[in-house]
Amino acid sequence: MDRNQTILGNVEPDITQRLVSRREAILKGAAVGSSVAAGLAMMSAPIAFAALSREAFGQSTPTSVQAVIDFALKLEIFENEFYKAVLGISAVPAQNAAFAAVRAMVPAAAIPSIQQIQKHEVEHVAFLTANGAVNSLRLDGTSFDFTGGRGTGTGPFAQATLDVNFLLLVAQGAEDTGVRAYKGQAPNLMSNPAVLEAALRIHSVEARHASKIRRLRRMTGATSVKYSGTITGGGAGAAGAGNVSNPAAGAVTALGLIYAGEDNVMQGGINVTALPNLPSGIDVTAAATEAFDEPLTASAVVAIVQPFFIPSLS
Amino acid sequence: MSDKGRTFVVSATEQFWKPSSRRSFLKLLGVGGTLVLAPTLFEACDSYTPVTAPGTGGSGGAAALDLSTDIGILNYAYALEQLEAAFYTAVVGSAAFGSLNAEQQEVMNDLRNHEVIHREFFKAALGAGAIGSLAFNSTAVASTLTSGAVILKNAETFEDLGVSAYNGAGKYLKSADYLTLAGKIVSVEARHAAAIRDIRDAAGVSGGDATGTRFAGDDVVASTGATAGLDVKLEPSSVLSRVGSTGLLTTMVSISASPSGTATPDAGPPSPTP
């Protein structure tokens, strides 16, 4: 390790961590190309690192696999800490206290569902970490302001601590954002099929979560939300916030970002609403938007979630 | 001697339990041979009728999938969407549909709409490269619709199988655009799966899952080991084997070339579905 630190002394710490964790992965038997093995055999970190840059991070850009799993880890920690606060099991007493009032309003039957979701978020954090994702911002329960106020505690989502309908709306927004984020990053993982497949398997779990939260909302008065758990239309209207009274203007704006573009009906150059043989008598536009979920770019996701993160994500 | 180009015919599910068949099967997967799921398999009958080559499968015709190409992978998805669309179209026209409650009927109608859209989308997108329309065994289809509970059980099977299929095939796509398209569809299938599972949860079907957790139950989302928190996935050959065992298709669907890439261990939903 001393040798590594000396050689990498001038390298950005984040990169050093990545290299060390990649090196650990290699020592644990991960398959690597012969040039990496040769570099390691010669104990020449720069050679191994250069090879890893090509083989593990993609052909040319280091924004690939490592950046994606680091980004995913941030989102999973956020989701996990959110549900922990909602359930009253955060390590941060103030987070638990903030949701104490609304916690008592959550239907008893919904608690096991929320616990199941939170369990998966913990597992996603563990999976990403075990596969080399780095929590470079050292995010923990103290890193978030679930009112969307960047630490003021008075953001546009403060209503979630008082109104259970609004709380579930926020959970839905978090899950749907997660689905869109993973979908948007999938092409950046193509250089590593194993990681891509794992990400797809996390992506569909987030979609299951989103569906369940939507169904919970439908059962508690959100009449424009579908029992099928799918997203109808786009923009703030796709949130189905009809059962939430007087949401803050900032919350409506945020919901508009979360569902921006979900009303797309052009898929692969084909207008889905104009396809032949569709069932008669249906709302074709609604069905077309429900049948395809849309991706978001990393920057669009950051714009949505930054208000909930106290540290800067950019 | 190479097995490349040779054909391995699976005409009864029991063949997978016979060591010699399994060995030939695995050997062929390794060298890009042809796997044929014969109509006898789809009809799920106990009798064994040898079929020697693709294209002699009978009235349902044949569809060969070259999974070494993106077009082949998309056709694989098209085949599955055809199956789902046919099922839900039959559901909403069935006698038992009327026994479902309003919530369940809304979901069945939505799923019919979405799956028909997926089917027609793939057909249009693939154009001249599309496989033909699959043919179904009407007796077998009718057997999936005998009651509301049976409909919901089969819907769960199809949706979880769809999620498994897309999750297992994504890594074989070479085009980022196609991967994104598949991603747009698989999350909708996962929403469907969760909805159906949640409906059955409320109806008292646990399948071993704690009440309130079946939407993403431990029987589909791994809860232990290195893959804890990850959803189902199946390799294409496993998916087609399961489709075959439903007996719904009379078209002989075969894999004429294996995917180019490394297969991963399967983690499928329970089969049969509880």
Side-chain angles (χ1 to χ4, degrees):
Chain A
M1 294 306 270
D2 284 347
R3 186 190 296 257
N4 266 341
Q5 279 162 11
T6 303
I7 292 169
L8 297 173
N10 296 326
V11 181
E12 186 216 328
D14 193 33
I15 297 284
T16 309
Q17 265 183 296
R18 289 183 203 175
L19 175 54
V20 171
S21 63
R22 281 303 301 168
R23 190 162 176 274
E24 284 167 359
I26 292 160
L27 293 175
K28 285 177 193 162
V32 293
S34 57
S35 53
V36 180
L40 288 170
M42 292 186 295
M43 289 305 288
S44 167
I47 291 173
F49 184 58
L52 275 168
S53 298
R54 288 192 308 273
E55 293 177 9
F57 296 158
Q59 288 78 3
S60 56
T61 165
T63 62
S64 257
V65 177
Q66 185 69 45
V68 171
I69 63 174
D70 289 353
F71 179 54
L73 180 60
K74 292 180 174 75
L75 298 178
E76 296 288 359
I77 293 172
F78 163 64
E79 288 188 315
N80 182 36
E81 292 298 334
F82 169 68
Y83 288 114
K84 281 165 67 181
V86 170
L87 292 167
I89 58 171
S90 170
V92 183
Q95 299 284 26
N96 293 329
F99 286 93
V102 77
R103 189 179 308 131
M105 303 174 203
V106 176
I111 295 292
S113 305
I114 296 172
Q115 289 171 330
Q116 183 79 350
I117 292 173
Q118 189 264 332
K119 182 183 84 165
H120 292 154
E121 310 303 3
V122 170
E123 290 166 348
H124 295 165
V125 169
F127 180 87
L128 292 167
T129 303
N131 285 279
V134 179
N135 180 10
S136 58
L137 296 178
R138 292 182 169 75
L139 300 171
D140 61 21
T142 64
S143 308
F144 304 101
D145 176 353
F146 297 118
T147 71
R150 290 286 312 262
T152 65
T154 58
F157 289 91
Q159 200 176 344
T161 61
L162 302 169
D163 174 349
V164 68
N165 290 337
F166 200 90
L167 175 71
L168 292 174
L169 175 64
V170 174
Q172 174 194 301
E175 297 295 343
D176 281 333
T177 301
V179 174
R180 301 193 71 177
Y182 274 101
K183 202 187 318 294
Q185 292 308 309
N188 292 330
L189 299 175
M190 293 176 78
S191 63
N192 189 327
V195 174
L196 170 61
E197 182 165 279
L200 290 174
R201 293 173 68 184
I202 293 175
H203 169 248
S204 60
V205 171
E206 302 290 343
R208 288 180 190 264
H209 294 172
S211 178
K212 173 61 184 178
I213 299 286
R214 282 177 170 269
R215 287 175 49 76
L216 278 173
R217 295 192 59 237
R218 171 66 180 268
M219 290 168 187
T220 52
T223 53
S224 66
V225 173
K226 288 294 190 75
Y227 277 124
S228 60
T230 51
I231 304 171
T232 310
N243 67 331
V244 172
S245 53
N246 303 315
V252 176
T253 303
L255 291 169
L257 295 177
I258 290 171
Y259 296 106
E262 279 287 2
D263 53 352
N264 176 39
V265 297
M266 293 298 296
Q267 304 295 350
I270 293 167
N271 181 348
V272 172
T273 64
L275 287 168
N277 305 320
L278 302 188
S280 58
I282 69 167
D283 182 339
V284 171
T285 302
T289 64
E290 291 162 5
F292 294 84
D293 283 346
E294 298 298 322
L296 281 177
T297 63
S299 60
V301 174
V302 167
I304 290 166
V305 302
Q306 177 66 80
F308 300 95
F309 284 68
I310 297 171
S312 171
L313 294 173
S314 53
Chain B
M1 287 296 291
S2 167
D3 283 323
K4 197 170 183 68
R6 277 180 51 189
T7 298
F8 178 65
V9 178
V10 180
S11 46
T13 44
E14 305 89 84
Q15 276 183 272
F16 284 105
W17 299 101
K18 294 176 185 160
S20 61
S21 297
R22 205 160 54 231
R23 196 157 53 239
S24 316
F25 170 65
L26 293 170
K27 206 170 162 191
L28 272 165
L29 284 187
V31 297
T34 301
L35 169 66
V36 176
L37 300 175
T40 45
L41 183 72
F42 299 135
E43 286 157 19
C45 45
D46 293 326
S47 63
Y48 174 73
T49 308
V51 175
T52 54
T56 60
S59 62
L65 303 171
D66 176 358
L67 298 182
S68 68
T69 70
D70 279 5
I71 296 303
I73 298 285
L74 296 180
N75 267 312
Y76 165 59
Y78 176 41
L80 297 175
E81 298 292 353
Q82 287 192 54
L83 177 63
E84 288 189 309
F87 170 69
Y88 290 112
T89 300
V91 165
V92 302
S94 71
F97 180 71
S99 70
L100 298 174
N101 68 27
E103 173 198 346
Q104 295 162 351
Q105 290 191 358
E106 176 189 310
V107 171
M108 289 297 132
N109 275 317
D110 273 2
L111 271 49
R112 185 270 316 257
N113 297 346
H114 304 160
E115 305 301 1
V116 169
I117 286 172
H118 291 163
R119 179 191 70 198
E120 294 301 319
F121 165 73
F122 277 115
K123 185 177 184 181
L126 285 161
I131 59 172
S133 294
L134 302 184
F136 297 90
N137 179 324
S138 57
T139 306
V141 171
S143 73
T144 65
L145 311 169
T146 52
S147 72
V150 168
I151 287 173
L152 293 171
K153 173 188 163 96
N154 286 309
E156 179 178 306
T157 299
F158 289 130
E159 297 300 339
D160 280 336
L161 192 59
V163 173
S164 307
Y166 281 99
N167 278 353
K171 62 182 178 289
Y172 297 128
L173 286 168
K174 298 171 186 70
S175 154
D177 289 343
Y178 294 154
L179 176 62
T180 298
L181 266 172
K184 289 177 177 211
I185 293 173
V186 65
S187 55
V188 173
E189 304 289 348
R191 291 172 189 273
H192 292 171
I196 296 290
R197 289 182 142 263
D198 200 38
I199 285 171
R200 298 188 76 217
D201 191 340
V205 178
S206 80
D209 292 324
T211 302
T213 69
R214 191 168 165 73
F215 68 98
D218 293 353
D219 59 333
V220 282
V221 180
S223 60
T224 57
T227 58
L230 271 56
D231 211 332
V232 285
K233 65 98 2 195
L234 287 171
E235 292 295 315
S237 55
S238 305
V239 171
L240 291 181
S241 168
R242 289 192 181 207
V243 169
S245 68
T246 67
L248 290 169
L249 291 179
T250 59
T251 304
M252 179 165 54
V253 179
S254 63
I255 297 175
S256 62
S258 301
S260 54
T262 307
T264 58
D266 275 339
S271 180
T273 293

